[in-house]
Amino acid sequence: MAGSAPVIVILTLTIFIAQVSCAKTPADILRHSVTRHGYPVELHKVTTQDGYILTLVRIPGKPGKAPVLILHGLLSSSVDWTVQGQDKSISFIAADEGYDVWLGNVRGNTFSKEHTALSSKDREYWQFSFHEIGLYDLPAMVDYIRSNTSSDAIHYVGHSQGGTAFLVMASMRPAYNRKFASVQLLAPAAYIHHATSPAVDFATRIDELEMFAKLTRSYELGGRGPGSSMDLVYAGHKTGLVPTDLILTNIWYFVGAHDSINRTVLGEILANTPAGCSVYQLLHFGQNYLAKSFQMYDYGAIGNVQRYGTKIPPEYPLHNVTAPIMLYYSVGDNFVPAEDVEELADRLPNVVHKHRIGLRKWNHIDYLFDVSAHRLYRMIVASLTNQTAEENEQ
């Protein structure tokens, strides 16, 4: 009987995962993430210039109110902006103020895995980093929103890689700068060479990561689906086999100990987060950490000469980023430390405000899940109103 216990546990988890997977499609999950809190929702498909099909989640606003595009970070998705619920999540706080809220999902995450020609099972599908997200995904979202609303300029809120993507787009395709009324970047992952998280050390093991990906023919990290490690963790937590404190201890190992997550929503967070990414996204961050630079993907000396004309990848031309930018950062962030955001601020030509969060333990995921994050969100939403008023006065 004792020997059969592990088999029973595995069967229980397998059945649970199968039931959850069959019950809800990605579209169902996105709709439910909004409607369960009493808000209307629309799902929009957007195709990028290089064929990736993305899903935008829209919470329609009041007539005449400006659109706000909110973009997640690495391994995240639009669901993270809704999981804390009404009065607590930035998407609903902005919606309550009448804004036309759009939540992005970048290529490769659970909700944006379609392509016009490729399957997510193909190696070619995963050959992208945050560079392509900034060069193609974000512009496609911006163009779609502007063509489907009455507003020429939109507001933007980006966390971590969501900030990275904006800086790539605004520096490489500078015509997009004028399409933003305001830009709010939360812990933007550009310069990260002061990072101390163990995850960064993992990302710098470039040769090992690439070799592992090639041997396993798996270029996705943190993906979801039947049999995935993250779905097993979620199922284990849901059934009580994996204790909450064990999960939090593992999270704190990477982001720094801060008992700030509302435990009542932890299960909902684990249901969809992490949402998957390409190994090349992680590798690109690792390269920038080692290079102490915010630069394009390093393909090696020969590959760089072929692509860039130089052996070393060029830095992103941040002097082209002329949109009005507000930066939010904290001393407790071990992924995007305060000194790195300060360096970014010195290199950007139009930083209109910097907000340094005073809580010493405020870490990289507190922007999403801290029980008091709604206070920061209200500050951000209030600044949208101020920026709109200033623009109308000009």
Side-chain angles (χ1 to χ4, degrees):
M1 290 293 292
S4 65
V7 176
I8 293 173
V9 170
I10 293 172
L11 286 174
T12 301
L13 293 177
T14 302
I15 293 170
F16 178 83
I17 293 171
Q19 288 174 337
V20 171
S21 300
C22 293
K24 292 183 179 180
T25 66
D28 291 334
I29 294 171
L30 289 180
R31 291 191 186 94
H32 183 67
S33 70
V34 176
T35 58
R36 66 190 293 262
H37 298 293
Y39 291 82
V41 66
E42 299 172 3
L43 300 186
H44 296 258
K45 295 289 188 180
V46 181
T47 303
T48 68
Q49 184 179 334
D50 56 346
Y52 288 81
I53 302 172
L54 317 175
T55 303
L56 277 172
V57 179
R58 183 187 192 184
I59 306 173
K62 295 178 181 177
K65 268 286 194 176
V68 181
L69 172 59
I70 306 176
L71 192 62
H72 60 81
L74 186 73
L75 290 169
S76 188
S77 75
S78 65
V79 176
D80 291 329
W81 300 117
T82 66
V83 72
Q84 293 214 57
Q86 188 177 24
D87 297 327
K88 299 289 186 180
S89 294
I90 189 172
S91 54
F92 301 135
I93 291 173
D96 288 341
E97 292 299 317
Y99 286 100
D100 188 8
V101 179
W102 296 75
L103 308 175
N105 286 288
V106 304
R107 63 181 65 192
N109 87 1
T110 306
F111 309 105
S112 293
K113 280 194 169 179
E114 297 177 79
H115 192 279
T116 55
L118 299 172
S119 164
S120 60
K121 296 180 181 179
D122 298 330
R123 174 186 176 185
E124 292 78 12
Y125 175 92
W126 296 101
Q127 291 182 326
F128 61 84
S129 76
F130 62 72
H131 179 83
E132 284 74 20
I133 292 171
L135 204 62
Y136 302 119
D137 291 19
L138 188 49
M141 294 178 190
V142 171
D143 290 344
Y144 185 90
I145 293 169
R146 292 178 74 245
S147 66
N148 285 274
T149 63
S150 58
S151 180
D152 288 332
I154 69 176
H155 296 285
Y156 182 77
V157 179
H159 173 241
S160 191
Q161 184 186 254
T164 317
F166 178 84
L167 295 171
V168 170
M169 178 191 68
S171 63
M172 299 295 291
R173 304 180 71 172
Y176 276 88
N177 282 280
R178 66 174 183 270
K179 300 179 182 182
F180 293 89
S182 74
V183 178
Q184 320 268 340
L185 303 184
L186 286 56
Y191 297 101
I192 57 171
H193 50 274
H194 289 97
T196 57
S197 169
V200 176
D201 178 63
F202 176 70
T204 59
R205 297 162 68 176
I206 294 170
D207 292 339
E208 295 175 50
L209 279 172
E210 286 189 305
M211 181 62 69
F212 178 79
K214 290 176 181 177
L215 287 174
T216 60
R217 296 184 180 181
S218 176
Y219 294 85
E220 181 183 16
L221 297 176
R224 309 308 289 255
S228 71
S229 59
M230 289 316 306
D231 274 18
L232 285 171
V233 171
Y234 168 59
H237 181 261
K238 190 77 172 177
T239 56
L241 296 171
V242 180
T244 294
D245 286 345
L246 177 60
I247 291 173
L248 291 177
T249 299
N250 279 275
I251 293 173
W252 293 335
Y253 172 73
F254 289 105
V255 303
H258 188 203
D259 195 359
S260 58
I261 295 178
N262 185 343
R263 281 168 166 74
T264 62
V265 299
L266 180 59
E268 296 170 26
I269 294 170
L270 293 174
N272 298 291
T273 305
C277 73
S278 167
V279 66
Y280 296 107
Q281 290 169 258
L282 192 65
L283 290 175
H284 198 170
F285 282 117
Q287 291 175 356
N288 280 357
Y289 171 80
L290 292 174
K292 297 183 178 180
S293 174
F294 181 42
Q295 63 186 34
M296 300 176 201
Y297 197 90
D298 190 342
Y299 293 94
I302 295 175
N304 291 336
V305 169
Q306 293 174 342
R307 288 173 173 82
Y308 312 126
T310 59
K311 291 183 179 180
I312 299 175
E315 294 189 34
Y316 288 102
L318 293 178
H319 62 273
N320 288 336
V321 184
T322 56
I325 291 179
M326 299 185 184
L327 298 171
Y328 301 82
Y329 58 106
S330 72
V331 294
D333 191 335
N334 63 4
F335 276 95
V336 185
E339 50 264 56
D340 289 333
V341 179
E342 292 283 1
E343 180 175 350
L344 173 63
D346 290 340
R347 294 172 182 262
L348 292 173
N350 193 15
V351 175
V352 298
H353 179 69
K354 293 188 297 183
H355 179 75
R356 183 166 174 150
I357 297 169
L359 297 175
R360 295 197 62 82
K361 289 189 176 182
W362 181 280
N363 62 41
H364 198 64
I365 63 171
D366 281 336
Y367 292 94
L368 300 170
F369 305 130
D370 189 292
V371 292
S372 64
H374 60 93
R375 296 171 185 169
L376 176 64
Y377 299 155
R378 294 184 192 285
M379 180 191 305
I380 292 171
V381 172
S383 74
L384 304 184
T385 302
N386 294 336
Q387 288 292 106
T388 301
E390 291 175 8
E391 186 179 74
N392 290 337
E393 289 173 0
Q394 293 176 356

